[in-house]
């Protein structure tokens, strides 16, 4: 399906967020809402766009994307819909309001255009009731999750009359162009994620009040130990809005089957009713289960007592024997522990997992759709059935039975088995009929986990592996903690350069993790510094430089498959790649200044070559800036990027920083980045010619003095510390080219020598070592 223009009707939090994300995909958007009472007839939609620009983080991946949105209203601008291919309704969750909008849409839309609703609760058969068959054939539900830019899940529901080609076309477009993980749902209340997620949150609240566990302890248990984000239950209530949950619950209660477990368990505690009435609706209100209270200049985090409703200062880290047991022996040990943490974990998870298992095949024909929905919609690490596999099907079923609870039919059939298995290198899921069916990834997606099912690494050490992706393309995977770069990784880069030259056509660097790489291993560097092992640190810098230059001048294409953070040394890897295929949610940056250092593996050099190069000649990249206003504007921008440790807030923003080039690719769907990187590498491998050596002209002392004066001004104004000045003046020395002048042509090796020299001077200072230690302990930069 060819989607060239999209309309979104409704400019509230969800409608404006959906419009922003469609604009992120490069698609023109028409955003309509009712006529505003104040501030102009289009004030509501204009405010929606402004909201997405000002949100932290914003709904737009680049501020310029907002220009793709045309604001209007539902009285004057309906004609804008006539050339839209997809019209998304996101108005009030009232059936009569939605149907009135549908009639207006149907009067002006073009033949074959698709109309969908972002409803979270209303069934599709009710939405199209009384509307023409032609409309019903073009209608479906597309339920986005908030915020649309970041939440991958898109639940899609088709009606009895929905055209198959329209359903498949929108699903494909949302997958590839919008980056969504598509889950096909049945037309049941709450669909999948909210049906289970709201039940889980309800149990989390009610069981905490029944057992008398504190809010902090409940979130500590119902968080990382069970593969759920650290917000747990109560932190999630605060995040999404405490007042929203009763609204969703009441809407679901109106449509759920009479015998549904949610009906028997749900009630709204008096405490919650009072909190909402008093404005304690979560982060958007005065606070929620947690709140920030100011005492003078200090901000004190407080937490509510579920019995008294009074707030007190949040205590120290929660310590429970059940949490210790979980760390040592996994989720089953937590669920079987007899302390209050174990009791709470079992009460909440046993109820949630039992509920999920009992809803197959009512809400989904198989278990994979449910697991996918909970991972992508609620950010769970494991879906309900993956959790059951981790704790054991038989153990879980036996414990349910021992408590006098019915065991869902699906779990009875699965006794003695696992719900997921690997057979012949293919992942399979247990079905309601008692048989296993293969899980087929969407065409065009690729994860290293798929490769690992059938292959062994070409080479491997403690921190990295080299894999054969097929078609002559290899993949270097970083596997250290947070993919931090150490000597083992540098060694495998060097080895990979030899292996790929011999046996492959090209190299992709990437992994399945949340982040590409957080940079060099600072712990090892600090340990060496504390031992005054300066030669060891010097060798690490030189080895890193050799590895990066090896990548840059390899006789085959090197493509970085970029996802998440690529900081410091990780950013230097992508800077030395011939091309980057980046997920839209990639956050690269040279952040070494934050720990009192400067880039040492060629990061300064690469930004200089990109920012200062004006034209190509046989000798390499020669600056032409003297004839176009001088070198200082470009040099100042590079200095600002590194000195302020700027990180691209998206792949789009990384282009502004020159970390990504105009020709680098951006992939919207995380699951497709590696496949796109492989395809790009394969295409580049045809008749590939290694890069020519590059040179650059730099101003030397004149620029160094100018940049240093600017730093002194920031120190004098209290905007920078004395050690900031030391670090930034070292950076200024590198970026200006040391003692060179514009007539001298500097080689890359000369620039690397400058990086090495100034890096080594900084790493020997007590202030820089204090910054490194503080970063390792707190994860935050120190200004000393």
């Amino acid at each position: 399906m060819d989607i060239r223009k999209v309309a979104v009707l409704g400019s509230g939090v969800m409608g404006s967020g959906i419009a922003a994300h469609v604009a992120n995909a490069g698609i023109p958007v028409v955003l309509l809402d009712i006529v505003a009472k104040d501030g102009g007839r289009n004030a509501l939609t204009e405010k929606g766009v402004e909201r997405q620009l000002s949100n932290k983080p914003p709904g737009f991946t680049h501020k310029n994307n907002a220009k793709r949105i045309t604001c209007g209203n539902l009285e004057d601008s309906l004609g804008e819909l006539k050339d839209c291919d997809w019209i998304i309704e996101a108005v009030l969750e009232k059936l009569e309001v939605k149907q009135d909008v549908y009639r207006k849409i149907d009067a002006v839309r073009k033949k074959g255009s698709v109309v969908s609703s972002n409803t979270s609760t209303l069934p599709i058969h009710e939405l199209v009731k009384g509307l023409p068959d032609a409309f019903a054939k073009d209608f479906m539900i597309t339920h986005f999750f908030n915020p649309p830019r970041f939440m991958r899940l898109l639940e899609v529901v088709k009606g009895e009359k929905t055209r198959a080609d329209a359903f498949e076309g929108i699903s494909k477009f949302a997958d590839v162009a919008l980056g969504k993980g598509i889950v096909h749902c049945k037309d049941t209340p709450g669909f999948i994620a909210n049906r289970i997620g709201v039940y889980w949150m309800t149990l989390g609240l009610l069981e905490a009040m029944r057992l008398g566990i504190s809010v902090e302890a409940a979130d500590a248990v119902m968080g990382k130990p069970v593969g759920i984000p650290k917000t747990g239950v109560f932190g999630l209530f605060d995040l999404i809005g405490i007042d929203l949950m009763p609204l969703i619950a009441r809407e679901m209660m109106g449509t759920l089957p009479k015998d549904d477990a949610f009906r028997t368990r749900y009630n709204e505690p008096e405490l919650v009713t009072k909190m909402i009435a008093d404005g304690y609706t979560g982060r958007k209100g005065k606070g929620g289960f947690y709140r920030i209270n100011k005492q003078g200049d200090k901000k004190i985090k407080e937490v509510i007592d579920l019995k008294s409703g009074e707030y007190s200062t949040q205590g120290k880290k929660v310590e429970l024997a059940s949490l210790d047991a979980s760390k040592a022996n996994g989720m089953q040990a937590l669920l079987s522990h007899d302390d209050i943490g174990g009791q709470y974990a079992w009460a909440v998870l046993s109820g949630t997992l039992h509920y999920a298992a009992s809803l197959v095949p009512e809400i989904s024909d198989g278990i994979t759709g449910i697991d996918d929905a909970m991972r992508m919609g609620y950010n769970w690490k494991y879906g309900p059935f993956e959790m059951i596999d981790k704790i054991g099907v038989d153990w879980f079923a036996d414990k349910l039975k021992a408590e006098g609870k019915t065991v869902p039919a699906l779990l009875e059939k699965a006794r003695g088995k696992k719900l997921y298995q690997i057979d012949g290198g293919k992942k399979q899921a247990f079905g309601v009929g008692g048989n296993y069916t293969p899980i087929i990834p969407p065409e065009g997606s690729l994860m290293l986990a798929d490769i690992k099912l059938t292959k062994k690494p070409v080479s491997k050490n403690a921190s990295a592996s080299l894999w054969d992706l097929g078609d002559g393309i290899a993949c270097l995977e970083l596997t250290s903690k947070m993919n931090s770069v150490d000597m083992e990784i540098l060694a495998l880069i060097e080895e990979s350069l030899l292996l790929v030259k011999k046996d492959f056509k090209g190299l992709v660097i990437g992994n399945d993790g949340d982040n590409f790489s957080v940079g060099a291993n600072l712990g090892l560097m600090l340990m060496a510094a504390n031992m005054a092992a300066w030669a060891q640190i010097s060798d690490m810098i030189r080895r890193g430089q050799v590895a990066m230059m090896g990548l840059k001048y390899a006789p085959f294409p090197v493509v970085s498959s970029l996802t998440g953070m690529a900081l410091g040394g990780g950013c230097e890897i992508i800077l030395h790649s011939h091309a980057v295929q980046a997920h839209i949610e990639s956050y690269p940056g040279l952040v070494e200044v934050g720990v009192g250092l400067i880039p040492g593996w060629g990061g300064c050099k690469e930004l200089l070559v990109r920012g200062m190069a004006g034209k190509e000649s046989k000798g390499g990249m020669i600056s032409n800036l003297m004839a176009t206003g001088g070198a200082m504007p470009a040099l100042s921008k590079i200095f600002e990027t590194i000195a302020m440790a700027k990180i691209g807030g998206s792949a789009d923003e990384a282009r502004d920083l020159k970390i990504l080039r105009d020709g680098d690719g951006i992939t919207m769907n995380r699951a497709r980045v590696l496949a796109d990187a492989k395809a790009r590498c394969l295409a580049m491998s045809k008749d590939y010619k290694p890069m020519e050596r590059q040179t650059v002209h730099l101003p030397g002392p004149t620029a160094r003095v100018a940049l240093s004066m600017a730093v002194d001004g920031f120190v004098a104004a209290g905007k920078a510390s004395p050690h900031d000045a030391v670090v930034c003046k070292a950076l200024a020395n590198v970026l200006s080219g040391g003692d060179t002048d514009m007539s001298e042509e500097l080689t890359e090796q000369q620039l690397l020598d400058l990086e090495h020299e100034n890096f080594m001077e900084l790493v020997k200072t007590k202030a820089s070592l204090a910054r490194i230690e503080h970063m390792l302990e707190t994860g935050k930069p120190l200004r000393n």
Side-chain angles (χ1 to χ4, degrees):
M1 179 175 287
D2 190 13
I3 306 292
R4 297 186 179 184
K5 189 175 181 181
V6 171
V8 179
L9 278 56
S11 60
V13 172
M14 284 305 300
S16 61
I18 294 168
H21 193 57
V22 174
N24 291 336
I27 307 295
V29 184
V30 175
L31 180 61
L32 306 183
D33 209 323
I34 60 174
V35 173
K37 295 179 180 178
D38 301 304
R41 293 176 69 81
N42 299 335
L44 287 179
T45 50
E46 290 167 355
K47 184 179 179 181
V49 173
E50 290 169 6
R51 182 193 305 117
Q52 295 302 325
L53 283 167
S54 61
N55 280 349
K56 296 183 186 292
F60 293 102
T61 56
H62 195 285
K63 60 184 179 182
N64 289 345
N65 293 345
K67 297 175 182 178
R68 296 195 180 105
I69 297 180
T70 300
C71 293
N73 65 73
L74 288 167
E75 291 183 16
D76 307 326
S77 314
L78 282 173
E80 294 281 352
L81 303 183
K82 67 180 184 299
D83 56 351
C84 291
D85 304 296
W86 181 16
I87 302 167
I88 305 168
E89 168 270 304
V91 302
L92 291 174
E93 283 288 279
K94 292 184 178 180
L95 183 60
E96 63 274 15
V97 174
K98 290 181 183 294
Q99 288 206 326
D100 181 59
V101 169
Y102 298 156
R103 292 185 180 94
K104 291 180 179 179
I105 292 171
D106 203 32
V108 296
R109 72 186 183 98
K110 67 180 181 181
K111 184 179 180 180
S113 62
V114 175
V115 182
S116 71
S117 175
N118 185 55
T119 183
S120 58
T121 55
L122 297 173
I124 194 169
H125 63 272
E126 290 292 335
L127 291 172
V128 298
K129 191 175 183 179
L131 291 166
D133 280 357
F135 182 87
K137 289 178 181 178
D138 292 337
F139 187 83
M140 66 185 69
I141 289 173
T142 52
H143 180 216
F144 291 79
F145 278 65
N146 192 37
R149 171 183 166 182
F150 297 101
M151 298 302 291
R152 283 195 63 213
L153 178 61
L154 182 69
E155 294 180 318
V156 292
V157 184
K158 63 181 177 179
E160 292 181 2
K161 298 178 181 179
T162 306
R163 289 187 289 118
D165 60 331
F167 188 71
E168 292 165 6
I170 291 297
S171 297
K172 181 73 172 180
F173 175 81
D175 171 354
V176 178
L178 301 184
K180 296 301 174 185
I182 307 300
V183 172
H184 293 160
C185 305
K186 294 187 176 182
D187 190 19
T188 56
F191 311 128
I192 294 177
N194 281 342
R195 179 79 173 267
I196 295 170
V198 172
Y199 186 76
W200 164 71
M201 294 182 71
T202 299
L203 287 184
L205 170 62
L206 297 179
E207 290 296 341
M209 300 183 84
R210 180 182 70 83
L211 290 167
I213 190 172
S214 70
V215 166
E216 310 105 293
D219 282 349
V221 170
M222 201 51 54
K224 187 177 179 180
V226 294
I228 288 172
K230 62 181 181 181
T231 51
V233 171
F234 293 99
L236 183 58
F237 268 116
D238 283 358
L239 179 64
I240 64 176
I242 296 170
D243 56 331
L244 181 64
M245 296 306 293
L247 294 176
I248 295 176
R250 282 194 287 272
E251 289 171 352
M252 290 180 63
M253 292 282 276
T255 54
L256 285 170
K258 293 181 180 180
D259 60 348
D260 192 87
F262 187 87
R263 287 184 176 277
T264 62
R265 291 306 309 265
Y266 179 75
N267 68 77
E268 185 176 311
E270 291 182 11
L271 174 64
V272 171
T273 305
K274 185 176 186 303
M275 288 174 71
I276 295 171
D278 292 343
Y280 285 92
T281 54
R283 296 186 188 181
K284 66 182 180 181
K286 298 177 183 178
F289 293 105
Y290 299 92
R291 75 177 184 185
I292 301 296
N293 193 16
K294 291 185 179 180
Q295 295 181 1
D297 294 333
K298 293 184 178 180
K299 292 182 178 181
I300 308 297
K301 190 171 185 179
E302 297 181 337
V303 62
I304 202 168
D305 184 292
L306 295 174
K307 288 184 178 179
S308 68
E310 299 295 323
Y311 286 91
S312 60
T313 302
Q314 186 173 353
K316 296 180 180 179
K317 183 179 179 181
V318 174
E319 293 186 3
L320 290 168
S322 54
L323 293 178
D324 294 335
S326 173
K327 288 179 183 178
N329 299 303
M331 203 181 299
Q332 188 184 116
L334 171 66
L335 296 175
S336 58
H337 205 281
D338 60 3
D339 76 358
I340 195 166
Q343 293 176 51
Y344 179 70
W346 172 254
V348 177
L349 278 190
S350 68
T352 302
L353 301 182
H354 181 280
Y355 187 58
S358 69
L359 291 175
V360 180
E362 178 188 336
I363 65 172
S364 176
D365 287 330
I367 64 176
T368 56
I370 293 176
D371 280 347
D372 288 346
M374 296 312 296
R375 283 198 313 272
M376 294 187 291
Y378 278 73
N379 282 329
W380 288 10
K381 186 175 182 180
Y382 316 107
F385 298 98
E386 291 168 320
M387 284 191 195
I388 293 173
D389 259 356
K390 289 186 74 67
I391 61 180
V393 174
D394 290 357
W395 182 89
F396 182 60
D398 289 343
K399 192 165 173 61
L400 288 175
K401 194 170 185 178
E403 292 185 349
K405 297 175 182 176
T406 59
V407 178
L410 177 72
L411 300 185
E412 284 287 9
K413 289 181 181 178
R415 280 185 178 276
K417 303 174 183 177
K418 292 182 73 68
L419 295 170
Y420 290 98
Q421 70 172 16
I422 306 298
D423 184 44
K426 302 292 183 181
K427 192 173 182 180
Q428 298 179 333
F430 189 79
V432 292
N435 299 317
Y436 288 95
T437 56
I439 301 172
I440 303 173
E443 185 181 356
S445 66
L446 177 65
M447 303 295 283
L448 275 176
D450 302 325
I451 300 297
K452 294 176 183 179
L453 293 177
T454 57
K455 295 182 179 180
K456 293 183 178 180
V458 177
S459 185
K460 179 180 180 180
N461 63 28
S463 299
S465 301
L466 185 69
W467 298 90
D468 182 353
L469 294 183
D471 301 313
I473 303 300
C475 179
L476 177 64
E477 175 195 25
L478 311 189
T479 59
S480 59
K481 184 177 181 180
M482 298 288 285
N483 300 328
S484 60
V485 184
D486 55 19
M487 295 298 280
E488 292 284 320
I489 287 175
L490 296 179
L492 197 58
I493 289 176
E494 294 172 4
E495 182 185 347
S496 297
L497 291 170
L498 297 174
L499 290 172
V500 175
K501 180 180 179 181
K502 176 175 175 286
D503 298 323
F504 295 89
K505 299 175 183 177
L507 174 67
V508 169
I509 305 175
N511 60 76
D512 285 354
D514 293 333
N515 298 305
F516 182 82
S517 170
V518 297
N521 190 319
L522 293 176
L524 294 177
M525 190 174 296
L526 181 63
M527 185 185 302
N530 288 334
M531 297 168 58
W534 308 120
Q536 182 178 332
I537 295 176
S538 175
D539 181 56
M540 184 176 184
I541 298 304
R542 287 300 191 191
R543 285 283 299 277
Q545 291 179 346
V546 168
M548 301 304 148
M549 291 293 278
L551 292 173
K552 182 172 183 176
Y553 292 106
F556 47 81
V558 176
V559 177
S560 282
S561 175
L562 174 60
T563 57
M565 292 188 292
L567 306 179
C571 185
E572 286 170 306
I573 291 175
I574 69 171
L575 285 170
H576 287 84
S577 301
H578 304 128
V580 177
Q581 190 68 35
H583 182 224
I584 187 66
E585 297 304 334
S586 295
Y587 317 111
L590 296 170
V591 298
E592 289 85 349
V593 168
V595 290
L597 302 172
I598 62 170
W601 289 343
C604 299
K605 166 186 70 69
E606 283 304 302
L607 286 195
L608 282 171
V609 169
R610 294 181 186 193
M612 300 293 289
K615 64 179 183 180
E616 282 196 47
S617 74
K618 189 174 181 180
M621 301 296 283
I622 308 299
S623 176
N624 196 36
L625 293 168
M626 291 299 287
T628 57
M632 283 309 297
L635 194 61
S636 296
K637 186 172 183 180
I638 297 167
F639 179 78
E640 181 181 303
T641 296
I642 302 176
M644 295 183 69
K646 288 188 174 182
I647 299 173
S650 67
D652 284 338
E653 289 187 3
R655 281 206 172 110
D656 291 347
L657 300 177
K658 302 296 184 184
I659 293 173
L660 293 189
R661 293 154 292 207
D662 290 341
D664 288 330
I666 295 178
T667 299
M668 295 297 286
N669 194 319
R670 171 64 180 88
R672 295 179 176 275
V673 181
L674 185 61
D676 289 350
K678 176 189 172 184
R680 189 179 186 91
C681 191
L682 190 60
M684 291 173 66
S685 69
K686 298 175 183 178
D687 303 318
Y688 181 78
K689 295 180 180 179
M691 293 183 65
E692 292 186 7
R693 296 282 167 172
Q694 296 180 295
T695 58
V696 69
H697 292 257
L698 295 171
T702 304
R704 181 171 67 248
V705 170
L707 294 173
S708 297
M709 287 177 64
V711 172
D712 290 337
F714 277 103
V715 174
K719 297 180 179 179
S721 71
H723 193 61
D724 287 333
V726 172
V727 177
C728 289
K729 287 179 181 180
L731 176 63
N733 187 43
V734 174
L735 296 181
S736 61
D739 294 327
T740 188
D741 60 52
M742 288 298 288
S743 65
E744 183 180 354
E745 192 173 65
L746 290 179
T747 66
E748 289 181 90
Q749 188 57 53
Q750 287 174 298
L751 292 173
L752 289 172
D753 291 343
L754 270 173
E755 286 190 24
H756 175 268
E757 176 188 340
N758 285 272
F759 183 99
M760 291 305 301
E761 289 179 4
L762 290 172
V763 80
K764 293 177 182 179
T765 64
K766 290 183 179 180
S768 288
L769 293 179
R771 288 189 177 190
I772 295 172
E773 187 171 9
H774 187 267
M775 177 63 76
L776 290 170
E777 289 178 354
T778 68
K780 299 177 181 178
L782 172 69
R783 286 286 174 243
N784 55 348

